[in-house]
Every structure is written in structure tokens, then in C-alpha cells.
Amino acid sequence: MSILDFPRVHFKGVARVNVPTANRNINNTLDIATNTAIMDGTPYDVAQPPAHFHDYIKEMGPKFNAQGKADESGLFNLAAGYNMRGNNHFSWENTLITSVQLKPGEYITDDQLVGNKLSLWGHYNEYLRTSFNRARWVDCDPTRRDSALIYAGQLTITDPKASANTTHILSADIDCTHGVRWMNKSYIAQPISHFMYEEMSEARLFQFSIRKDSDEFLFNQLGLESEFLDTLRIALDDPKVLGLTVQYCVSNLSPPVAPNMPVFCDLHGTIGLWREEDMMTSPTGRILRPDNSEQYAPIAVSIGEDWLSLNAAIGIPHDSYKDDIPVQNGMPPKLSAKVNLGNLYLKSSCGQIIATISEEDYRDGAINSGVIDIPLQQFDEQFHQQSLRLCSETHTWYESDWHIQAEQHILSMESPNHISDKSSSASVAIRSYYQGKPMPITKLASHIRDAKTLSCDQFIATDLDGKGSITIESLKPGSTELFLGEYHNPILVRVLPSDWELMDTPTEQVDYDFLYKHVMAYYELFYPFMTEAVFSMADKCKCETYARLMWQMCDPRNKEKSYYMPSTREMPQAHAQLFLKYLCNVEQSALPKIMPMQEPQFKAKGNIKSKEQLIKALRDAVDLELSIMLQYLYSAYSLPNYGVGEHFVSAGRWNQVQLELVNGTEDRRRNGGWRGALLEIAHEEMIHYLVVNNLLMALGEPFYPGKPVLGEEAKAKFGLDTEFSFEPFSEHVIAKFVRFEWPAFFPTVGKSIADFYNDITIAIGELPDLFSTEKVNLGGEHHLFLNEIINREYPGYQFEVYDRETAIFAINFVTEQGEGVSADSPQFEVSHFNRLRAISKTLTNSEIPFEPAYPVLKNPVFETRSGCSLVTDPEACELMKFYKGCHELMFQLMMQHFAIKPLGSMRRSRLMNGAIDLMTGILRPLSVQLMTLPSGVPGRNAGPPVPEAIAAEVFNDLEQGCMAISRRCEELVSMAKSMVSAKPPQTQIELLEFFQNQMQEIATGKLSREA
């Protein structure tokens, strides 16, 4: 029976929980039925700044200090909670296997599996293509702490000393959400005086299962010589074993010493076999429930021939704390042994003692995670037909013969659509057990706590395997429970707000102000982590910049994924669809005012003989990646977006098939057509640019911004005979891009990029003394734009380079993402080469030839330059000069980030994130705008100017550097406002003003450089 069966794995570690706490409605500040913020008893005016509401919540009494005592000047209060800025991230830290079991009562600690590390990861984000994805802890009903639901996507077991690019011992996908199954409200028995004591003393039990028949179930990839793993593999071959079940418990929350910090909790758990009679997300066995549910939790029992096993993972509390509270390093305090209840006796209903559990058996769960094996005593076999109870002198756990539970017992539902008169319903799978065994049940009654919120089947029946279902229908927004038979196993349901009338809002009306008022303001008020770590939804310029990404993250189809936003899952479908309409509106702004009128194998072998030559080659590689990335972007932006494409269809210039080829599907989900594919590839080239810079910095060199090179200069530098030029999308250009990414494993004439990197790889492998003996990552970690294969194999990878192995891995990562590994490798399918080749074939084989791109100039410039096309139109020239200034500012931000010797995080750096914001919020829309403007050359449009080498000054001093950037922002704002022939969108000016202020705040110490 799941973890009560053998073999077993026990583990222990720490959980990092970063849940938001201002949404708990302690002081009547929230109406969860309508997603409305309440201030002084009335709805908050969302036209007011969010900071006013934040201040209102934070100032509410009573207040408490870091010791948890009442204090009028304390930093904590109940309304905001301890972590108003929580982002729902949930992870396992330093979680190691403590022992394994092959038989009852024997704990093996010298098996090769023991000591290895377990990690819980989130889902791969197909849109941002990230690694290092976190799971999410979501309180479905934030007013209840038993409503926690975990969204996780992958479990791994690895060597704890291994680097992020090392193969796992075990890796498996998780395809189910899982919530709190059991809760012990007094897991620490002796109370202390602290305002968070109730939450600190709670323990929660979770469970999920992983399928052995999944293609992503990878077992003992390192080939460890382990008797335990050999036995487990044999057990998994049993057709009645579906996979593995993972039970884990989160307890002993350590209160933070300051507000807005994640908390750390003890984590312990057990892994066992998942058999077909077991539930996926709930413990099975003979379930015994305590007579005092405020101090104890259920215990599951399994009785074998000679042994009794008890799942008492959180059933019995610890007596007290051994450390002072709070612990200054934030870690969970040490606890005393479990409460001494004396001997426990498992008895049948007739009073016969079946087993005796001594205090030594249950008081120390360090090695067995609270799963205990006890020899059976002599007993009458008829006890199998009798109910059980577990007795001490003061407390008793009683078996409820029937155990009926839902696989998904915490869920949210849409409210009924009163506009279209459509109901909202959900079918929930049910399992029924009698004395621990699957049994059918007929005419099981259901009960709803609030019959105005939900309705459901009045009676439920299950089949011979104990399987059935219940249909639940929502009646109105709110939160309530329904029960199956007895009141032990509730199904918690939250019905989301009803705003169905918003579904009929015309697309043209859904501008930023409309979206903020009806949707985003609520999240800005209660979840300010977005403002601190990502961007504020009160900043119009940021929302317009990331309109497509906001829709993709809020798409209801992604609601079961860990990356879904809002992470709290309280957004109704009617609200989510507004993001798509807003995106359509933003795309319309790119519509041109005047529609435009209707091309023997070389192998390098070890030519780099010194560290100096290697550094030069890596600098050339930076120039290479930068130059190629910019060419991809130019071609991508020459393609109209979906909104413009729709106008082309309605005007008869394109047909619907051509629209989908260029832009993908109307839903703006994963399929972005040729335009989206080129942008994805360009993003990955940007990552290659940063990875190669990490290689340089690992050799002790400074960050190198690179120089875009064209024409003959590129041919001389790289030795490639493929032309480097900025041209609009066409068959000729796509064919050129295919040549850029040509794999080394296909014969070709002349030198390829793969050959270029081959020299670098050989040099890293052969040259001595390249890296410091200390494994220090001198570059910067990030995890954007990595494909799903990389994420699955190395979910913790973040561009680390600190030794020969990680350097070669980084080079291989760059080349494999470009060309693939081999023609039959999974990497090949998603490689740049194969994706570009697919575009080329489709474009060439189109039944009706068409030119999808704007007719833009090749290599446009606004000042005469050899090999380039001069733009003379006054409006285009002004915008091109502005573009050049913003492009240099973007690089200045990146260069300044690295100039001040960062601690290693590119993703948390406000400077790096500012650079990305400028790329997305200014350079991208400016590129699109310029490609719709006349150039002065008849029949040809302008385009973003060909970039030159960056000469921006950077400083070793953070204050000087940020002040210089702030002044540059101010100059660009002034340039934009003083234009005569052109006028940049107000959003771009506001974005520059935003960074002008932000850089000044960083320089003056009002804002940290890392988010």
C-alpha cells in the first residue's frame, strides 16, 4: 500500500515557501467573491496609486516585532502578514535521502542512493523557455491554511555535489496537482508567545505520484551499483505497479526576522510503490483518525503477515522548541522529541491487542520520516473483519471503516454564466475503501456546507475497484466545502468571480486603462511582488511592452502549469480573455499609415595554441553571435504582426493560410508562425552571446559588449562565405540563415560556425591553467530561452562556467541549440537549423508565392556608410537616430551590470532587466514602426539602423554608473520630445522616464541593484 509497502526511500531537508500573505482577509480588506480590495469598509478606488492601499494594510494594528511580541512600532501586522510580497514559489532545499528500506524495521544507510539530493521543480515555460523553474504553493482559498495546492512539474534525484549540467540518477514528470491531505494544527505541542504561533506549529502532509510508463521517467541513469535500486527496478516491472508515490510533510515554520521574506520549514517524506489500488494524491491503508484533531493527525496502518506498518508522518506532535525563536539565519528551529504518550496499542474492536508501539518506536523519526514498522503479536485472525483503534492512556485513534476521498480535493471553478445561461460544472474522480481495501459503495450521500454556492450529485456510487465520480456545479462565487458520507474528507471548492459580461466587450475598447481597472488593479493591490521582481501592472509602458507575454501567462489553457499567472489562480476566464483583446489592440498600433506596395567540407583542428588566442577567439564568437542575432531580429520585425496580417487578409493581399504561416493562430498561444520562430531563435542567440561572455569572464576577462560586423569585414573575421547583412524576410534570407546554422555532421563546402566553435572546444580541452582552482562562477546566472530538452535534462542549469567541464558544456550548449547533436537526436528537431529549414521548405513549396515582409531596405543607415543604404526621409531619420541612442543605452545597462562585478545573478539585476525591457519596450516597437515608414528610396521602406560598436562609458562605481545612465535616459527623453518630423509613442518616453528615475534611485541607495 504505497509508502507502507516495500521498498521505501526516506528523505529529509528544508522547504522554502514564499506565499503571499496580504490576501488572507484578516481585517476585512478583501472580497474573494468579486476580487475586490476593501478600504475602510468600501471598495478601494483603483484609480488611486496601489501604494496607498499597501500603506493602509501595513499600518493596521495590532503590530508585532521580530520576536513576535505586540509592539506599536513593530514591522509586522496581521493584515499584511509576514510576506506581503510573496510570489508563491516553493522549493526543496538541501533535501537528502537519509535511508532506504527493503524489509520492515531495517534502515540501510550505506547504499549508494543514500545521501543523494531530491529536488522539486516547476513546469518548463514554453514561452520564455526557461530553466530553473520553481514549483508553486497556492492557497486556493487564502483565508484557509488547509487549502494549499502545489503545482509542480518535475522530480529529480541527483548527486548533491554534481554541477547543474550533470545527469540525474532519477528524473520524472509530475502530471498532477496535489494539496494538503492531512494537517496537524499542533505539531509543536507547547505553545509560545508569538503572533505567528498557530501557523508555526502546523504540519501539512502532501502526496503525488509519478508514472513509470512515461517517456520522461528516467531511472538510474548513472548506473549506480545499488542493491536497493536493483530491487526497486524489479518491483517496478510488476504490471500492477503504476509508478512511485512521493509523500512529504512541511512543518516547523521558522518566522522571518523582517517582513517580505520567504519562510523555511522542515521537510521530511517517503517514496514508495504506487500500486493500482492506491490513490495518486492521498495516503491509503486503514485510516485511523484521532479523537482530538486539534492536536493530532490521522495515521494509516497496513498489516502484513508478521509486521505492522504505520504512516504516522505528522500523526504525533513534537513536544517543544529547542532553539530560541526566531532563528537568525531563518532556518527552522530544532525540535525536541515527539510527545511522550507512553506505549501505544493497536487493538481490534473486540479489545484484542494486535501490536504494541513503544515510545522509542515513535518519538524519533529522523531516519524513518514517521513511517514505523512493528512486529505483530499473537492474535485472533478474525481481527481482519474488525475495526481498529490505536490507544494510549490519554488519546485514541479510531478507524472509520469506510474511507471515501476525491483525487482532486482542492479546486477552483468558473461561476455560472448568467449572460449566456450556461452552467459551470466539474467531474471529480472518487475512490472508496473499506478497511483499507478498494470496495464498491452504493448510494453514498453528499453534503454541502453552503448550498447557495454549489450543487452536486445527491448520491454517489463506485464500481468494484472503488472508482467513481461526482459532478459538481457552481451556483455563485465564493468558497465552500462538500463532504462524501462522513465529514472527514472535504472537497474544498472556490467559485471564481462572475464577470461574464466583460466577455462581450469590443476588442477596441480593451485598452490599458480598461484592463487595469477591471483586472490588473486587484493583483497590483494584493500581490506587489510583481512590482518588486518583474514589473508593475500600474506601469502602462511595461504592460504594453509585454502584452503578448501577459496573455500567454494568463491563458486559461496553462492554468495547471506552475508558471501560470496570476500564480494564485483566482482569475476567471472572462478576465483572462481581456488580455488577448488588449494584445490585439497593441498589435493594431503597428498598422502602417500607408500600406506598402504590392534569393569540399572544411574542418578546423586545434589552431588555438594559447590562452591569449582563445580569448581573441571568444571575443570573435561574441561578435559572431551578436551579428547573427541582429540579422534574425531584423528579418523577424520585417514581418507584420498578426493584427496587421488580419488587415492584409481583409484587403485581399494575403489569404488565411498565409496569415497563419507568417503569424500563427489567432489565439496567440504557442504557434507564432514564421515571425514567432525567428524571434525565438534570435532570443536563443542572445543567450549564446551571454554564455560566450560567461566563458570570457571565467578566464578572468571583463564583459565584452561585442561589435556587429557586416559584409567583407565579417568574411575576414569569421572565415564564413555566407553574407552578413540586414535584410527583410525572404526565401533568399531564410536560405542564408539555414547556412549560418549548418551542422558539422552534414557535408558542406567551406567553413561553418560549427567549425569555428570546434577550435574553441579543442583549446578549452587542451590548454592548461585556464581556470581558477576555486569553482567560482564569474559570469552571471540566468535561465531564459532554454529549450525543453535542456530543462528536462538539466533543470538547474543557469549558464554556469567555472572549470573545463562547465566551459565545454557551455560551448556544446551553444552549438547544439544551433545545429543539433546529430540528425537522429531530439535536439536536432528543435535546433535552429531544423526550424529554419522547415520555414524554408514551407516558403519555397507554397502553392501561391507571396512576399510576406515589408519592402524594407537592405542595411539601412541615416549617415553615409560603406555597403549600406542611406535613408533620407526626415521622419524615418529622426526615429533612426532615436533608435541608435536607445540601442546604445541598452548596451550601456548591460555593460554597467558587469562592470560593478555582480554577485552572479543576471536575472535579478535591475540593470540587466532594464536592458531587456528596452529591447522589448522600445527597440522592438521602433523596429516595427521604422519598417512601415518610407525611406526616401522609391518603393522601399526604412528600418532600424545597422548598429555599430558600442562606445558607452561605464564605471566601476555603481553610483556613478547609474547616474550616467539616468542622465542618458533624460537626454533621450528630451530628444524624443523635441522631434519635429516624428513622434515616438508616449509609452516609449514613459519607459525612459521610468528608468531615469529608477537609475537615480539605485544611485542614491533608495533601491537595491538586485530585485
Side-chain angles (χ1 to χ4, degrees):
M1 287 187 178
S2 188
I3 66 163
L4 295 176
D5 203 347
F6 296 94
R8 292 184 199 141
V9 175
H10 300 293
F11 58 88
K12 188 174 177 60
V14 173
R16 184 180 186 272
V17 184
N18 197 7
V19 295
T21 57
N23 59 353
R24 295 180 172 180
N25 199 27
I26 303 296
N27 292 69
N28 190 31
T29 54
L30 165 64
D31 179 0
I32 68 169
T34 59
N35 282 4
T36 302
I38 307 297
M39 183 172 181
D40 296 326
T42 59
Y44 182 71
D45 180 3
V46 297
Q48 298 299 310
H52 290 181
F53 185 73
H54 298 161
D55 292 341
Y56 167 73
I57 290 181
K58 288 186 287 188
E59 289 305 313
M60 281 186 171
K63 292 189 174 185
F64 304 90
N65 58 28
Q67 286 69 45
K69 311 295 184 186
D71 183 344
E72 290 184 3
S73 59
L75 294 173
F76 294 97
N77 74 334
L78 296 178
Y82 63 85
N83 191 16
M84 187 173 181
R85 293 180 185 168
N87 60 9
N88 294 103
H89 282 195
F90 174 60
S91 59
W92 295 0
E93 310 286 336
N94 302 319
T95 300
L96 305 178
I97 295 173
T98 55
S99 68
V100 294
Q101 281 186 270
L102 294 174
K103 58 181 66 173
E106 293 186 12
Y107 303 101
I108 303 170
T109 58
D110 59 356
D111 188 272
Q112 284 202 34
L113 189 62
V114 175
N116 286 300
K117 180 181 178 181
L118 285 95
S119 298
L120 190 71
W121 302 98
H123 292 93
Y124 177 70
N125 187 323
E126 302 93 332
Y127 304 97
L128 291 171
R129 304 187 300 289
T130 56
S131 64
F132 214 84
N133 300 297
R134 296 293 196 187
R136 298 296 195 276
W137 173 305
V138 176
D139 293 323
C140 183
D141 179 346
T143 66
R144 299 177 53 141
R145 293 200 294 273
D146 63 349
S147 70
L149 197 58
I150 306 299
Y151 293 80
Q154 187 178 0
L155 175 76
T156 60
I157 301 178
T158 53
D159 183 335
K161 297 178 182 177
S163 59
N165 50 298
T166 300
T167 302
H168 312 300
I169 298 167
L170 180 142
S171 176
D173 278 6
I174 303 168
D175 59 4
C176 61
T177 57
H178 54 281
V180 176
R181 280 300 179 179
W182 294 344
M183 189 165 179
N184 188 331
K185 297 179 181 179
S186 299
Y187 193 60
I188 302 163
Q190 291 188 18
I192 62 169
S193 177
H194 194 289
F195 81 99
M196 286 179 59
Y197 172 69
E198 284 189 7
E199 192 165 356
M200 291 159 56
S201 64
E202 292 170 345
R204 301 170 178 84
L205 181 146
F206 299 88
Q207 178 176 306
F208 64 88
S209 299
I210 49 182
R211 300 181 185 278
K212 70 176 185 182
D213 58 2
S214 166
D215 291 340
E216 311 309 333
F217 185 85
L218 305 176
F219 185 86
N220 197 11
Q221 295 187 95
L222 297 184
L224 296 183
E225 293 183 4
S226 162
E227 179 188 1
F228 177 84
L229 287 174
D230 292 343
T231 305
L232 180 57
R233 185 187 295 277
I234 293 171
L236 286 169
D237 287 339
D238 185 340
K240 293 185 178 180
V241 173
L242 304 180
L244 297 176
T245 287
V246 183
Q247 173 186 287
Y248 64 95
C249 307
V250 178
S251 63
N252 189 24
L253 180 154
S254 182
V257 295
N260 298 316
M261 294 174 62
V263 292
F264 293 87
C265 305
D266 281 336
L267 177 78
H268 67 273
T270 301
I271 303 175
L273 298 176
W274 175 29
R275 297 188 179 276
E276 59 185 12
E277 65 266 23
D278 298 325
M279 293 188 69
M280 190 177 197
T281 63
S282 183
T284 49
R286 301 184 69 165
I287 309 297
L288 279 62
R289 300 189 175 279
D291 55 5
N292 183 349
S293 60
E294 294 296 316
Q295 292 185 322
Y296 300 92
I299 293 175
V301 174
S302 175
I303 300 174
E305 292 183 5
D306 303 310
W307 285 81
L308 162 80
S309 294
L310 294 94
N311 178 3
I314 58 171
I316 302 172
H318 287 267
D319 186 66
S320 60
Y321 292 105
K322 292 172 68 175
D323 287 342
D324 292 335
I325 304 296
V327 179
Q328 288 306 306
N329 65 2
M331 291 296 104
K334 292 183 177 63
L335 300 178
S336 67
K338 298 289 184 72
V339 170
N340 188 352
L341 299 175
N343 287 346
L344 301 175
Y345 301 96
L346 185 69
K347 299 180 180 180
S348 64
S349 57
C350 67
Q352 183 182 19
I353 296 176
I354 300 168
T356 301
I357 301 97
S358 69
E359 60 180 270
E360 289 78 14
D361 293 323
Y362 65 79
R363 294 197 72 195
D364 182 9
I367 198 169
N368 60 22
S369 301
V371 179
I372 307 162
D373 302 312
I374 304 295
L376 292 179
Q377 298 175 202
Q378 296 296 320
F379 53 83
D380 181 350
E381 282 293 335
Q382 290 197 358
F383 90 90
H384 284 296
Q385 284 76 47
Q386 300 179 28
S387 300
L388 302 178
R389 64 180 187 271
L390 184 66
C391 309
S392 72
E393 292 184 1
T394 54
H395 295 287
T396 301
W397 282 258
Y398 295 94
E399 180 177 22
S400 176
D401 289 338
W402 281 101
H403 177 64
I404 298 99
Q405 184 58 283
E407 275 289 11
Q408 185 183 9
H409 71 298
I410 300 173
L411 66 149
S412 60
M413 298 177 60
E414 294 290 339
S415 58
N417 188 337
H418 57 278
I419 304 297
S420 61
D421 198 28
K422 289 183 179 178
S423 61
S424 171
S425 62
S427 179
V428 178
I430 302 295
R431 294 296 299 265
S432 62
Y433 298 85
Y434 182 79
Q435 293 183 354
K437 295 181 180 180
M439 293 286 283
I441 193 168
T442 58
K443 217 166 185 182
L444 173 70
S446 63
H447 313 276
I448 298 175
R449 189 179 295 279
D450 177 9
K452 294 181 179 179
T453 301
L454 293 178
S455 67
C456 68
D457 299 332
Q458 186 176 359
F459 296 102
I460 307 149
T462 59
D463 63 16
L464 293 176
D465 295 320
K467 296 180 179 180
S469 65
I470 181 171
T471 301
I472 305 170
E473 183 176 336
S474 65
L475 301 178
K476 72 178 184 66
S479 177
T480 191
E481 297 170 302
L482 66 90
F483 301 88
L484 307 174
E486 300 176 334
Y487 286 82
H488 294 313
N489 300 313
I491 300 175
L492 174 63
V493 182
R494 179 172 179 184
V495 181
L496 300 175
S498 175
D499 266 336
W500 290 107
E501 60 274 7
L502 293 176
M503 289 285 282
D504 297 327
T505 306
T507 298
E508 60 272 16
Q509 291 183 20
V510 186
D511 58 9
Y512 167 79
D513 292 333
F514 185 94
L515 186 64
Y516 182 80
K517 175 183 177 181
H518 291 282
V519 183
M520 295 191 297
Y522 166 75
Y523 302 99
E524 188 74 7
L525 296 174
F526 283 102
Y527 308 107
F529 82 88
M530 279 287 293
T531 300
E532 182 69 19
V534 188
F535 62 84
S536 170
M537 286 171 282
D539 291 328
K540 177 183 177 182
C541 58
K542 290 293 191 76
C543 292
E544 186 169 314
T545 297
Y546 294 107
R548 185 181 184 96
L549 183 61
M550 288 197 302
W551 155 241
Q552 290 167 337
M553 295 301 98
C554 297
D555 184 347
R557 292 191 184 183
N558 296 325
K559 208 160 192 175
E560 298 303 302
K561 298 295 182 72
S562 57
Y563 59 74
Y564 173 83
M565 296 295 283
S567 51
T568 48
R569 269 77 178 171
E570 53 196 327
M571 179 183 288
Q573 181 182 346
H575 289 184
Q577 293 300 323
L578 293 178
F579 282 91
L580 178 56
K581 293 185 176 184
Y582 174 62
L583 168 60
C584 294
N585 251 336
V586 171
E587 288 181 344
Q588 290 293 324
S589 65
L591 186 67
K593 296 176 184 175
I594 301 175
M595 288 290 184
M597 302 194 49
Q598 294 201 203
E599 211 142 356
Q601 189 174 6
F602 174 88
K603 272 290 182 183
K605 292 186 178 178
N607 295 323
I608 300 172
K609 301 300 183 182
S610 68
K611 183 176 180 180
E612 290 71 25
Q613 290 178 338
L614 175 60
I615 289 169
K616 179 184 182 304
L618 287 171
R619 285 175 176 265
D620 288 347
V622 172
D623 293 342
L624 175 69
E625 298 294 348
L626 178 63
S627 301
I628 290 177
M629 174 191 74
L630 293 172
Q631 291 175 74
Y632 287 153
L633 286 175
Y634 191 92
S635 181
Y637 291 143
S638 73
L639 293 170
N641 65 32
Y642 193 95
V644 176
E646 286 183 311
H647 284 275
F648 283 11
V649 172
S650 62
R653 296 168 58 91
W654 290 358
N655 59 38
Q656 189 65 34
V657 172
Q658 292 166 338
L659 172 63
E660 292 194 8
L661 285 173
V662 176
N663 292 118
T665 49
E666 184 180 11
D667 58 20
R668 276 82 158 179
R669 289 189 167 100
R670 281 292 297 127
N671 180 11
W674 295 338
R675 190 176 194 268
L678 281 174
L679 288 175
E680 283 187 1
I681 292 170
H683 293 157
E684 289 170 3
E685 294 292 343
M686 179 175 69
I687 292 310
H688 298 175
Y689 165 87
L690 292 173
V691 167
V692 177
N693 252 306
N694 271 6
L695 279 157
L696 270 173
M697 288 184 279
L699 296 176
E701 293 296 302
F703 174 81
Y704 173 56
K707 175 189 175 184
V709 287
L710 302 175
E712 290 301 316
E713 183 182 2
K715 186 173 182 180
K717 178 183 281 283
F718 307 127
L720 306 174
D721 59 6
T722 306
E723 184 185 13
F724 278 53
S725 57
F726 290 74
E727 299 183 66
F729 180 95
S730 68
E731 289 184 44
H732 154 70
V733 168
I734 289 299
K736 179 180 81 167
F737 291 167
V738 171
R739 294 296 306 172
F740 278 158
E741 306 287 357
W742 197 272
F745 45 83
F746 289 142
T748 184
V749 177
K751 186 178 181 181
S752 69
I753 292 175
D755 298 316
F756 178 86
Y757 275 114
N758 187 48
D759 257 352
I760 293 174
T761 303
I762 292 171
I764 292 172
E766 293 181 350
L767 293 177
D769 305 322
L770 291 178
F771 302 96
S772 167
T773 55
E774 298 181 13
K775 290 192 173 184
V776 179
N777 183 18
L778 298 174
E781 47 81 354
H782 215 304
H783 52 237
L784 274 175
F785 307 132
L786 300 175
N787 65 40
E788 187 171 6
I789 295 172
I790 288 288
N791 174 73
R792 184 174 306 288
E793 294 181 352
Y794 314 108
Y797 183 58
Q798 298 190 89
F799 312 159
E800 298 92 336
V801 178
Y802 46 74
D803 61 10
R804 197 181 306 276
E805 180 188 353
T806 52
I808 291 175
F809 183 88
I811 290 293
N812 290 340
F813 158 71
V814 170
T815 56
E816 289 169 6
Q817 200 168 47
E819 64 177 71
V821 181
S822 65
D824 56 359
S825 162
Q827 286 276 24
F828 181 73
E829 184 180 349
V830 296
S831 66
H832 296 182
F833 172 77
N834 202 46
R835 284 147 63 184
L836 290 166
R837 191 162 160 264
I839 295 174
S840 179
K841 287 193 293 185
T842 306
L843 182 60
T844 303
N845 295 329
S846 296
E847 290 187 11
I848 303 175
F850 77 114
E851 292 190 0
Y854 293 123
V856 294
L857 285 174
K858 176 180 178 179
N859 298 337
V861 291
F862 57 87
E863 294 175 334
T864 303
R865 180 176 166 185
S866 175
C868 297
S869 304
L870 184 65
V871 174
T872 58
D873 179 82
E875 181 181 3
C877 285
E878 275 194 326
L879 285 177
M880 290 171 79
K881 291 174 184 176
F882 180 60
Y883 181 101
K884 180 176 184 291
C886 293
H887 183 264
E888 290 172 347
L889 174 65
M890 180 266 292
F891 271 93
Q892 188 176 358
L893 280 159
M894 276 200 295
M895 293 161 65
Q896 190 61 57
H897 162 83
F898 288 105
I900 55 175
K901 294 182 170 54
L903 300 177
S905 175
M906 288 188 276
R907 61 189 172 85
R908 289 194 296 268
S909 166
R910 297 188 195 278
L911 295 167
M912 284 297 295
N913 287 331
I916 294 173
D917 286 346
L918 289 178
M919 289 181 216
T920 311
I922 294 183
L923 300 181
R924 180 178 68 184
L926 265 182
S927 297
V928 172
Q929 184 179 2
L930 280 163
M931 287 177 170
T932 66
L933 296 177
S935 64
V937 177
R940 289 288 170 183
N941 288 2
V946 172
E948 300 181 68
I950 302 299
E953 185 179 8
V954 294
F955 302 85
N956 292 327
D957 179 78
L958 177 65
E959 178 181 344
Q960 284 183 289
C962 289
M963 287 303 295
I965 294 171
S966 180
R967 288 192 294 271
R968 185 60 181 140
C969 290
E970 185 177 15
E971 291 168 1
L972 289 168
V973 168
S974 177
M975 177 193 293
K977 291 181 176 179
S978 62
M979 287 185 188
V980 176
S981 301
K983 185 70 175 178
Q986 184 63 28
T987 300
Q988 297 172 20
I989 296 173
E990 290 174 6
L991 196 58
L992 288 168
E993 291 173 334
F994 174 89
F995 285 111
Q996 176 187 341
N997 294 331
Q998 188 188 71
M999 292 300 115
Q1000 196 168 48
E1001 288 186 344
I1002 296 174
T1004 55
K1006 294 179 181 177
L1007 198 63
S1008 64
R1009 75 182 186 198
E1010 286 198 350

